[in-house]
Amino acid sequence: VKAAAVARLKDRNHKRNLLNWILCHKDVPYDVVEGILLASPSSPQERDIYGNNALHHALRNRASEDIIELLIQSCPNAVKVKAGGFASRTATTTNKHCEEKTALQIGLQNKASFHSVQLLYKTFPRAITAIDKKGKTVLYDALRNETSVDTFHFILNMLLQ
């Protein structure tokens, strides 16, 4: 009971739960994420004031493939949520939190591994045709951020299907 209560704590400024807050940092141990998920299974789908969930934070901060896979398995619906869906009044439209990107776009923007990109696509295939508020596509994010050749070919093949 105490572990679940701690996992549901939120910071005052950004209204992030413990999982979101921890994933805002680099090199988070797998065991920590797994423990929080056991204590509070609904935490991956909770969003902060910028509209980001745990998966968005993990992708932005280049969490390990194991953590990304764990988050996708524990809450597949988190992949379908666009980041920045309900930004606060204090966030500006130029802020990266307000771009309304899919998890796939965030992954490509932050050079996610090929395996992670495949998992994101497999969980939510329609994300391949997503366009953010600024009109950027998944292909744009793949090209702009110098993804691996395998990832780029994968994106291109999925678009051509």
Side-chain angles (χ1 to χ4, degrees), residues 113-126:
S113 70
F114 177 63
H115 178 68
S116 295
V117 169
Q118 283 181 313
L119 276 173
L120 290 166
Y121 173 77
K122 186 176 133 189
T123 309
F124 187 48
R126 286 195 344 233

Side-chain angles (χ1 to χ4, degrees), residues 138-149:
V138 169
L139 190 58
Y140 173 86
D141 287 323
L143 283 169
R144 171 105 161 70
N145 297 295
E146 301 172 6
T147 57
S148 70
V149 172

Side-chain angles (χ1 to χ4, degrees), residues 55-56 58-60 62 68 101-118 120-121 127-130 136-156 158-159:
L55 182 60
H56 300 146
L59 289 166
R60 280 200 178 98
R62 298 186 178 134
I68 305 264
K101 289 186 175 284
T102 63
L104 181 59
Q105 288 172 303
I106 293 168
L108 289 169
Q109 193 175 33
N110 293 283
K111 298 181 181 175
S113 70
F114 177 63
H115 178 68
S116 295
V117 169
Q118 283 181 313
L120 290 166
Y121 173 77
I128 202 81
T129 58
K136 296 176 185 170
T137 63
V138 169
L139 190 58
Y140 173 86
D141 287 323
L143 283 169
R144 171 105 161 70
N145 297 295
E146 301 172 6
T147 57
S148 70
V149 172
D150 290 338
T151 302
F152 182 73
H153 283 176
F154 176 76
I155 297 294
L156 202 53
M158 296 305 107
L159 282 168

